[in-house]
Amino acid sequence: MNGINVKVKIILLVFLLLTPTFTTSSFSSVAAEADTIIITEVYYDTHMSFEPDEYVAITNPLSDDVDISGWQIGDDGTKAVFPQGTIMEGGETFYIVREANIIIEQNILSGITPHFEFSENTDPSVPNMEGANPRFANGGDEVFLKDGSGEIIDVVVYGSSDYEEIGWTGDPAARGSSGDVLRRNQVERTGAWIDTDSRSDWDSLKGNPLAETADLRTYKQAQSDFDLETFDVEGIVRPYTSPDSTFSVLEDLFSNAQHSIELSVYEMHSPYLTEILVDAIERGVEVRAHFDGGPVGGLQDDSRWVSQQLHDAGGEVRYIIMGRDNDQHKRYRWDHSKYGIIDDEIVFVQSENFKKTGTPVDNSSGNRGYGVVIEDADVAGYFQDVFEEDWDDSYPDVFAHDPSHERYGNPPAGFEPDYDVPTGSYPSPFESKAITGDFKITPVIAPDTSFKQEDSILGMIKDAKDYVYVSQMYSHKFWGGLEDSSDSHPNIYMEAVIDAARAGATVRVSLGDAWLDPDNPRDNTRTIEYLHTIAEQEGIDIEAQLIDTEAIGLAILHNKGVIADDRVLVSSINWSKNSGKNNREAGVIIENQDVADFYKEVFEYDWAGGDQVIGEAYEDFESGVKETYSADEVTLASGAWLFDNALLGTLSNDKKLGSQSARVRADGMIEMQEDIEGVASLSFYHGLYGSDEGGTITVQKSVDHGNSWTDVTTLPSQRSLEKERIDVNESENVRLRFIVSGEEGTRVNIDHISYVEAGITEPVLAEGYEGAAKGSYAAADVELSSGIWHLDNALIGTHQSDKKIDDRSLRIRANGHASMEFDVPGAHAVSFYHANFGSDTGAEILLQQSTDQGETWDDAGEAIISNSELERHRVVVDTEADVRFRIVADGLEGSRVNIDEFWIEE
């Protein structure tokens, strides 16, 4: 609600959904604008017990004042009445709240003082409504605005209500989750309120994945609502990349700051950047740093050390936190932004965290990411406003670093930060450069403007005429559960990219080769298949691939960027639904051809595999000796292989990258004799021996230790050594073999085999049980890094007999359980490590889920038996509903099991 002034006309830009068959003009042609006082917000399902913070907002969209004395607000059974003399000025919004003191104390309205309250005199400065005290049901209800004679002026119908009479037609508006604010839509560019007396006035992406609606955003309690603004800048913009120059750019900015540095960063571990900031503080620069207090995996000691150093030097550190027992409810799932403001005049925005691979000291190793420095006071001022909003400790979820606090305080005494500096083979070809000229700069803030459809990310893609290049860590094929699809739950960013190709643009999509999950139909590999299928079916110019980070010399592709003609997006926004919908994210769109060309060169370098650096191999055939074609087992660096009608070739006619390679004759093969833990994709080099002709290679896989084999692909070899990359998509333990076919005597060389591990997708919740203490089995709530858990006949184990990844794990006795006391917004899968405590036996573990806030529980998968060593168990649950989980132990009385690294995948 940032920026709302109740004495002026509200201008809140919203947007239209871009889908393959739906256009903004089709919506505008049927949208009706409000011509009377209307209900614009309803907050009915709040976080607090007994919901004292319920409220309704009404707006006068007219230019004239309106006397609403005697008008009524309520449901079908109760009504509250406005007192005599109540005048609404043109453009004014009234907030009518249940208990004004709670609203003000919790800053529910982002600094706005309520205009009226339903309850009596909780705050003497807020006038009371007359009559009854209506309450609006969480499951479904109607909210009526009536004039003094009882005539309906406006009505909102939501959830399970079956009302379809005066003032409403069709289905009710979708029911939200706890903390969601039902918010009326507006025309994006004019701010006009939309009023068709139907669900479409209120639809969002959450309520309806295919909504033909002006506003895709889901509004949450006390979130900001910044307008989308574009600034005309004449000055200097400095693009940069990671790992090439991220550290040096930040070092230069911090070292030259004169009076202030404000940072908003998801995570900061770097001791080197910390020392530079401490130096700035010591020379008189005011440093304020805002971090997420509950990142994936919890707040690490490295992060606490950073906060300690800044705090002790005289800087300020605050976190956004979750503390449900104290009604500290995070406004954003994560503050995932990475930006900073220097001296009120310079702003930088980037995709990378302040960690070892995101801002590497040595630029020969690290993540691929984009960053940009903008020297303009107006743009810096916009980000300053966002920072101050998130820094404001009148919000209960803002918590200052407290050295003695168990969670948000200093690390343990004696903690030493990690000063290790990784090095690698990346040649760092891209120097940051200052570009002077004219620019159009559009800040993009999630969730405020990330889903706008005209001038934000969707707009820049839609407007592209020549090309759209996408560089993303990951992009879900669709935004739904396992049983959904791109038809039912489209990824609106990816569909916009496809539409750009349909309109004639050249589209290239680079996705990361980490965090792959062959079992997930939304995985990067599935996104690539989807794009290629559409390109082939429709004859449009789309190509997509996993970037070979190993070959380039990068750690991972962590970027979140788009290049579209002369515009570039540099941001922290992943292309998952959660990132744009629930997180605080920050990005910027720069319109300037020179800037676009800088990033385009970087994109094309990555697309081509860099300087064709050959990455580290799983097997390079440089160790071992085999000089004959007879069948025999050979011990190589990767383990044992069976060579049948094959040898290790060292001759000049052998095609190889080093001193030797595998040489396989027709009807021969090389076969792994040991399993590896899942393979997403496989890369290898192959070529015909000498001047041989006509050889082909069939790659096969086996998931039963070599008892049976399945073809992965068959491909011909050429005389030159060529690199091949194929998708294996196998999450189980697997082994591979390579069979050569052709005319008798034909020989093929194979070299430098590497693969991308199959793993679980990046978690949206990761609980390692490191941040709390509970030493007894008595039932109690425990605050962990992920939120409140209820442990019954369970504790946090630190004993040497507890099986654990780090210092602590969960220990549950038979007939005990550990339950989340909070929901997450949907889940694809859940995984965790488990093992018997000490030498115990006889316990079973069962994962259960609840979609009704823990009222009832359903089994998620089958019960499992633990062994003496930690093993990871993974269950696909695939639900879009708000959900929580619990782990139940059963079996022999007194038997105990340990649980660690509990992950929920989006």
Side-chain angles (χ1 to χ4, degrees):
M1 297 168 194
N2 181 76
I4 298 178
N5 184 330
V6 298
K7 294 298 182 184
V8 297
K9 188 172 293 185
I10 299 174
I11 302 177
L12 299 168
L13 301 180
V14 292
F15 44 87
L16 303 173
L17 174 60
L18 178 64
T19 69
T21 58
F22 180 69
T23 66
T24 55
S25 60
S26 69
F27 184 87
S28 300
S29 64
V30 298
E33 298 180 4
D35 58 3
T36 186
I37 293 177
I38 51 174
I39 300 168
T40 48
E41 294 182 38
V42 182
Y43 186 36
Y44 59 87
D45 186 358
T46 81
H47 289 303
M48 300 184 72
S49 298
F50 307 109
E51 295 169 331
D53 49 341
E54 273 190 354
Y55 72 80
V56 177
I58 63 173
T59 298
N60 178 7
L62 309 175
S63 58
D64 296 329
D65 298 349
V66 178
D67 185 345
I68 62 169
S69 303
W71 286 31
Q72 308 163 15
I73 286 183
D75 58 15
D76 203 26
T78 57
K79 62 184 179 182
V81 180
F82 286 98
Q84 290 299 310
T86 303
I87 307 296
M88 286 195 79
E89 297 180 7
E92 189 170 22
T93 292
F94 281 174
Y95 286 90
I96 305 96
V97 306
R98 180 156 316 289
E99 296 184 19
N101 62 329
I102 298 296
I103 291 284
I104 295 170
E105 175 186 307
Q106 296 286 316
N107 200 14
I108 301 295
L109 299 179
S110 300
I112 298 174
T113 300
H115 298 78
F116 295 93
E117 65 175 337
F118 292 120
S119 301
E120 292 187 5
N121 298 322
T122 67
D123 187 308
S125 66
V126 178
N128 298 123
M129 298 287 282
E130 299 171 353
N133 186 345
R135 292 183 178 272
F136 304 107
N138 293 347
D141 211 337
E142 309 85 40
V143 184
F144 290 97
L145 175 65
K146 299 179 181 180
D147 65 14
S149 65
E151 295 294 321
I152 294 175
I153 301 298
D154 196 20
V155 61
V156 179
V157 181
Y158 65 88
S160 60
S161 172
D162 58 2
Y163 180 92
E164 192 174 353
E165 299 178 32
I166 297 173
W168 190 269
T169 58
D171 295 334
R175 179 187 181 279
S177 305
S178 179
D180 286 353
V181 177
L182 193 60
R183 167 72 179 269
R184 183 182 292 273
N185 296 330
Q186 294 168 272
V187 177
E188 181 171 325
R189 285 181 172 165
T190 68
W193 295 99
I194 296 171
D195 186 19
T196 63
D197 293 335
S198 68
R199 170 177 176 158
S200 65
D201 299 346
W202 305 87
D203 254 339
S204 70
L205 191 65
K206 177 178 181 178
N208 180 4
L210 298 175
E212 295 186 359
T213 178
D215 196 346
L216 301 175
R217 179 181 173 183
T218 298
Y219 291 83
K220 305 287 286 187
Q221 168 203 301
Q223 286 182 341
S224 64
D225 197 6
F226 287 96
D227 292 341
L228 187 70
E229 296 185 37
T230 297
F231 298 88
D232 291 314
V233 174
E234 181 179 354
I236 298 174
V237 168
R238 186 177 174 189
Y240 61 92
T241 60
S242 178
D244 306 72
S245 57
T246 314
F247 184 86
S248 62
V249 167
L250 297 181
E251 180 182 33
D252 178 69
L253 289 172
F254 299 162
S255 297
N256 289 290
Q258 299 299 305
H259 62 81
S260 64
I261 299 173
E262 282 90 24
L263 300 175
S264 181
V265 183
Y266 178 58
E267 283 189 286
M268 180 171 178
H269 292 179
S270 172
Y272 297 99
L273 289 175
T274 302
E275 290 174 355
I276 297 169
L277 289 170
V278 168
D279 287 343
I281 295 170
E282 291 176 347
R283 67 172 187 270
V285 176
E286 179 188 12
V287 173
R288 295 188 290 165
H290 185 271
F291 303 128
D292 194 291
V296 171
L299 194 66
Q300 302 298 305
D301 286 339
D302 301 88
S303 297
R304 294 186 181 94
W305 181 87
V306 170
S307 298
Q308 178 187 27
Q309 304 310 303
L310 299 180
H311 175 272
D312 290 353
E316 290 187 81
V317 177
R318 293 181 184 177
Y319 302 100
I320 182 171
I321 68 167
M322 175 70 80
R324 289 177 174 82
D325 284 352
N326 300 318
D327 284 320
Q328 294 168 302
H329 298 276
K330 288 177 78 172
R331 289 162 290 157
Y332 312 99
R333 182 162 185 79
W334 284 300
D335 188 335
H336 191 248
S337 59
K338 307 103 168 47
Y339 70 90
I341 306 109
I342 313 296
D343 295 337
D344 303 325
E345 295 183 347
I346 300 171
V347 63
F348 72 87
V349 181
Q350 61 184 47
S351 60
E352 301 310 295
N353 293 301
F354 289 10
K355 299 172 72 173
K356 186 179 298 186
T357 56
T359 53
V361 176
D362 187 307
N363 62 6
S364 68
S365 175
N367 299 344
R368 168 64 79 223
Y370 292 172
V372 66
V373 178
I374 300 165
E375 298 183 16
D376 183 79
D378 290 336
V379 177
Y382 184 99
F383 281 96
Q384 187 78 51
D385 289 344
V386 178
F387 180 85
E388 298 296 349
E389 172 77 6
D390 294 343
W391 182 259
D392 184 355
D393 61 4
S394 68
Y395 291 106
D397 62 354
V398 176
F399 189 88
H401 173 81
D402 177 350
S404 62
H405 195 276
E406 182 179 6
R407 176 174 296 179
Y408 306 113
N410 293 345
F415 173 80
E416 292 293 334
D418 184 2
Y419 280 95
D420 178 54
V421 177
T423 60
S425 60
Y426 178 68
S428 304
F430 302 106
E431 292 185 10
S432 175
K433 63 179 181 180
I435 297 174
T436 303
D438 295 324
F439 312 86
K440 287 187 180 297
I441 309 291
T442 305
V444 179
I445 304 298
D448 308 50
T449 61
S450 49
F451 286 163
K452 288 188 179 293
Q453 298 165 85
E454 294 295 334
D455 300 308
S456 188
I457 301 171
L458 294 170
M460 70 175 284
I461 295 171
K462 180 182 68 174
D463 293 342
K465 299 295 188 292
D466 296 327
Y467 65 88
V468 177
Y469 290 172
V470 177
S471 176
Q472 278 283 336
M473 177 180 176
Y474 63 90
S475 178
H476 290 161
K477 176 184 173 184
F478 52 88
W479 288 350
L482 194 65
E483 301 302 321
D484 294 309
S485 68
S486 298
D487 292 327
S488 64
H489 291 73
N491 175 339
I492 62 173
Y493 293 136
M494 194 54 66
E495 296 300 329
V497 168
I498 295 170
D499 277 352
R502 289 178 175 135
T506 295
V507 169
R508 299 291 179 264
V509 178
S510 295
L511 299 177
D513 57 3
W515 303 108
L516 301 178
D517 179 7
D519 295 329
N520 189 337
R522 307 171 305 168
D523 180 72
N524 280 352
T525 56
R526 302 295 189 262
T527 302
I528 290 170
E529 292 170 0
Y530 174 63
L531 293 173
H532 286 169
T533 298
I534 289 177
E536 183 176 352
Q537 290 175 344
E538 301 185 21
I540 54 180
D541 189 2
I542 301 178
E543 293 183 22
Q545 67 178 15
L546 296 177
I547 290 302
D548 193 342
T549 51
E550 181 184 48
I552 300 170
L554 300 170
I556 63 171
L557 173 65
H558 189 257
N559 199 25
K560 301 96 171 50
V562 180
I563 312 157
D565 294 348
D566 61 349
R567 287 191 277 184
V568 177
L569 170 71
V570 177
S571 81
S572 64
I573 304 171
N574 290 310
W575 279 19
S576 66
K577 186 177 181 181
N578 179 71
S579 185
K581 170 177 168 285
N582 295 320
N583 287 355
R584 165 65 88 217
E585 308 275 5
V588 64
I589 296 171
I590 310 108
E591 184 175 341
N592 175 276
Q593 192 62 62
D594 291 337
V595 175
D597 288 345
F598 175 91
Y599 293 107
K600 184 181 179 184
E601 184 179 354
V602 179
F603 180 92
E604 290 174 342
Y605 176 89
D606 292 346
W607 183 268
D611 285 338
Q612 304 303 321
V613 175
I614 299 165
E616 181 180 354
Y618 167 73
E619 182 50 64
D620 59 9
F621 301 103
E622 293 299 307
S623 64
V625 176
K626 188 172 189 300
E627 299 176 339
T628 68
Y629 288 106
S630 59
D632 201 359
E633 191 169 285
V634 182
T635 299
L636 301 172
S638 60
W641 287 66
L642 175 63
F643 276 49
D644 188 1
N645 212 3
L647 52 76
L648 290 170
T650 61
L651 301 179
S652 59
N653 280 335
D654 286 295
K655 309 296 170 57
K656 52 190 180 295
L657 294 171
S659 60
Q660 60 185 29
S661 61
R663 187 199 310 161
V664 187
R665 284 198 302 207
D667 300 322
M669 68 172 185
I670 57 173
E671 176 184 310
M672 293 179 181
Q673 298 299 288
E674 300 169 8
D675 290 344
I676 49 181
E677 294 184 359
V679 175
S681 63
L682 174 73
S683 298
F684 62 95
Y685 288 79
H686 64 106
L688 292 165
Y689 173 84
S691 59
D692 287 6
E693 296 180 348
T696 61
I697 297 176
T698 297
V699 181
Q700 296 182 324
K701 65 180 180 181
S702 172
V703 294
D704 57 5
H705 314 298
N707 291 315
S708 61
W709 294 86
T710 303
D711 287 353
V712 178
T713 191
T714 298
L715 46 95
S717 289
Q718 309 299 325
R719 288 186 177 174
S720 60
L721 199 63
E722 296 180 342
K723 185 177 182 180
E724 198 71 38
R725 185 199 163 281
I726 56 176
D727 292 328
V728 179
N729 297 327
E730 187 54 67
S731 60
E732 304 292 330
N733 287 349
V734 64
R735 61 184 63 179
L736 303 165
R737 72 178 177 186
F738 301 75
I739 301 173
V740 171
S741 303
E743 295 292 329
E744 184 175 353
T746 298
R747 294 154 294 184
V748 173
N749 288 116
I750 300 171
D751 204 358
H752 203 88
I753 298 172
S754 61
Y755 70 95
V756 175
E757 268 187 33
I760 62 177
T761 55
E762 186 176 18
V764 297
L765 180 147
E767 180 55 70
Y769 306 103
E770 295 298 314
K774 183 177 186 290
S776 74
Y777 288 104
D781 287 347
V782 180
E783 186 173 2
L784 301 174
S785 64
S786 58
I788 303 297
W789 287 62
H790 182 72
L791 306 188
D792 188 352
N793 214 2
L795 52 77
I796 305 296
T798 59
H799 192 270
Q800 62 182 8
S801 295
D802 284 296
K803 310 296 171 58
K804 47 193 180 290
I805 302 296
D806 291 315
D807 298 326
R808 305 173 186 222
S809 62
L810 186 63
R811 188 199 309 165
I812 312 176
R813 282 198 304 207
N815 301 318
H817 68 264
S819 307
M820 294 166 53
E821 293 295 294
F822 58 95
D823 291 338
V824 294
H828 166 60
V830 175
S831 63
F832 54 87
Y833 284 95
H834 64 102
N836 289 317
F837 171 82
S839 58
D840 287 7
T841 59
E844 291 185 346
I845 301 172
L846 182 63
L847 179 70
Q848 295 184 325
Q849 66 184 39
S850 172
T851 56
D852 56 8
Q853 291 79 50
E855 293 293 326
T856 60
W857 295 89
D858 297 314
D859 293 349
E862 303 292 331
I864 57 172
I865 304 294
S866 292
N867 295 311
S868 60
E869 300 296 330
L870 285 169
E871 298 175 342
R872 193 159 195 94
H873 178 62
R874 182 169 181 269
V875 180
V876 175
V877 294
D878 195 52
T879 178
E880 278 208 298
D882 290 342
V883 64
R884 62 184 63 182
F885 297 94
R886 73 176 180 185
I887 301 171
V888 179
D890 201 356
L892 295 176
E893 183 176 354
S895 58
R896 296 155 293 183
V897 291
N898 288 117
I899 306 294
D900 208 351
E901 293 298 330
F902 183 91
W903 285 19
I904 299 177
E905 303 168 42
E906 184 180 31

